Amino acid sequence: MFKVKITGTGSYLPKKVLTNFDLEKTMDTSDEWIRTRTGIRERHIAADDEATSDIVAKAAEKAIDMAGITPKDIDLIMVATITPDNAFPATACWVQKHLGIDTEIPAFDIGAACSGYLYGLIVSAGMIEGGLVDRILLCGAETLTKITNWDDRSTCVLFGDGAGCTVVEKSDGDSAILSSYWGADGRLGDLLIQPAGGSRMPASHKTVDENLHTVSMAGNDVYKYAVSKMKESAMEALRRANLTGDDVDLYIPHQANIRIIEATIKRAGIPMEKTSVTIDHIANISAATVPISLDEAVREGRLNRGDILLLTVFGGGFTWGGAVLKW
Ligand code: COA
């Protein structure tokens, strides 16, 4: 158990919305196919001049406001992302600049693909409990549509852009992270990958011509592992907290496909009414999905102090995890 709590949440979705009907006009797909296979209706698209740190800053301002603090009260900034502004410096450093924080606090990014926010939450909890810092700005943010292959209908319909931020700090009361569970299997890295642009395959005319800087996914294989690991993460996080699905007041799963969510809640015994489903209007935003869904739940009054909250994630790596929080 970690005696930490989330005191502020905030999210930001870029203004431009691309619906399934818009996609019908530019490629061989249909609203019906996308909705029934994935649960997605529409996704938000970052503007050409909008980088990941820009949208993080907007979400961060809301989280900081809710927490009742100022940017200068933050001890550390962490941004989970696979679409950083640059390979370096870290997006978290740009966020520090955007927020006008001149107190020279540490800032770095977390790379665990769609599992990045939950990984960041566990890392944050360990650092706060270990006495390294008192208050962390923990964000998940992506501009995935900038690394989307718009010629591949099996992937391009799945992703969207957005940012979600949280203020994580020491808890003096009952709020806590009751349990956590995380894992990875690097043998499966090739199944969901941005092949080029790193040291394995540096950028070249050839890599650009062959669209190798975009998301490449073996959809069916990823789907099978996602179902299995999301179930495992939910069950193991609950077991470690000595709880069952009956005890859960709200479940926020990573949103990659509505069918993965349905399979997981069936296994964990959690009703759909207690499950956050945001995939219809935000699509899959990788590391941003959970903190955006969390912010929506908080602002809609679906989550109250003392509630039991279950989070689970799955993503490239493969990486996965779950956590049970007493809100
Ligand atoms: N519109 C219309 N048809 C499409 C399509 C689209 N956007 N994309 C694929 N299809 C077609 C395929 O070409 C295929 O046609 P065929 O049978 O003539 O060959 C057919 O639909 C079925 O394709 P398939 O890939 O088997 O569909 P699926 O039911 O497995 O759904 C995904 C595809 C991508 C939605 C699904 O595999 C998935 O959700 N995977 C996991 C995604 C995920 O979790 N990703 C990230 C983890 S964080």
Side-chain angles (χ1 to χ4, degrees):
M1 174 156 98
F2 298 108
K3 291 288 287 172
V4 300
K5 72 171 174 180
I6 294 172
T7 54
T9 65
S11 60
Y12 176 80
L13 297 169
K15 290 202 172 50
K16 183 176 171 192
V17 174
L18 187 70
T19 67
N20 294 345
F21 294 107
D22 295 328
L23 287 170
E24 276 183 3
K25 291 176 200 149
T26 57
M27 66 185 68
D28 181 15
T29 190
S30 67
D31 171 63
E32 212 263 333
W33 192 95
I34 301 170
R35 258 189 310 101
T36 53
R37 297 292 178 116
T38 70
I40 298 166
R41 269 191 299 113
E42 59 189 33
R43 67 287 291 141
H44 289 253
I45 311 278
D48 288 347
D49 63 354
E50 215 167 23
T52 299
S53 70
D54 301 329
I55 62 175
V56 175
K58 288 178 174 148
E61 280 165 9
K62 295 180 195 170
I64 288 167
D65 187 52
M66 187 189 286
I69 58 169
T70 70
K72 291 201 168 20
D73 298 319
I74 290 163
D75 298 328
L76 169 76
I77 303 172
M78 233 187 275
V79 177
T81 187
I82 54 166
T83 45
D85 290 25
N86 312 93
F88 70 91
T91 300
C93 295
W94 291 128
V95 171
Q96 181 185 28
K97 178 186 170 195
H98 295 329
L99 294 176
I101 298 176
D102 57 7
T103 43
E104 301 186 355
I105 56 167
F108 61 91
D109 292 353
I110 292 237
C114 300
S115 306
Y117 176 79
L118 192 105
Y119 265 53
L121 187 60
I122 297 171
V123 170
S124 297
M127 288 200 288
I128 292 170
E129 281 265 328
L132 275 176
V133 289
D134 290 332
R135 189 179 284 128
I136 296 174
L137 177 67
L138 171 65
C139 311
E142 306 288 2
T143 47
L144 281 178
T145 65
K146 298 192 187 225
I147 60 160
T148 294
N149 180 356
W150 294 102
D151 294 329
D152 175 9
R153 68 174 181 170
S154 68
T155 57
C156 74
V157 303
L158 303 175
F159 304 112
D161 301 332
C165 294
T166 49
V167 176
V168 186
E169 48 191 308
K170 267 187 195 157
S171 167
D172 300 325
D174 285 346
S175 298
I177 298 179
L178 302 180
S179 70
S180 63
Y181 172 67
W182 54 350
D185 187 344
R187 291 170 299 181
L188 304 168
D190 284 332
L191 298 176
L192 180 51
I193 188 170
Q194 181 185 18
S199 58
R200 178 71 60 202
M201 203 187 289
S204 67
H205 289 291
K206 186 171 180 287
T207 60
V208 172
D209 290 345
E210 294 179 4
N211 247 333
L212 295 173
H213 297 268
T214 58
V215 177
S216 160
M217 179 172 74
N220 290 324
D221 293 328
V222 175
Y223 183 87
K224 278 181 225 137
Y225 276 99
V227 169
S228 150
K229 289 300 179 187
M230 287 279 279
K231 285 182 186 172
E232 179 184 305
S233 298
M235 298 312 291
E236 189 55 26
L238 286 169
R239 192 190 66 74
R240 291 181 182 196
N242 282 321
L243 297 174
T244 70
D246 283 342
D247 300 305
V248 173
D249 294 300
L250 184 68
Y251 171 40
I252 302 183
H254 174 57
Q255 318 260 327
N257 189 312
I258 189 69
R259 293 180 289 146
I260 298 174
I261 297 172
E262 285 164 353
T264 310
I265 62 174
K266 193 171 166 204
R267 173 72 184 89
I270 299 168
M272 192 48 106
E273 309 83 76
K274 292 187 173 177
T275 305
S276 157
V277 176
T278 54
I279 189 168
D280 57 329
H281 63 282
I282 67 171
N284 181 352
I285 319 184
S286 189
T289 298
V290 167
I292 292 173
S293 304
L294 179 62
D295 182 50
E296 288 196 7
V298 168
R299 287 176 196 271
E300 286 165 6
R302 289 185 76 185
L303 193 56
N304 299 297
R305 285 286 164 212
D307 281 355
I308 295 296
L309 169 68
L310 170 67
L311 308 176
T312 65
V313 292
F314 176 82
F318 290 153
T319 53
W320 58 84
V324 176
L325 282 71
K326 192 174 176 74
W327 189 252

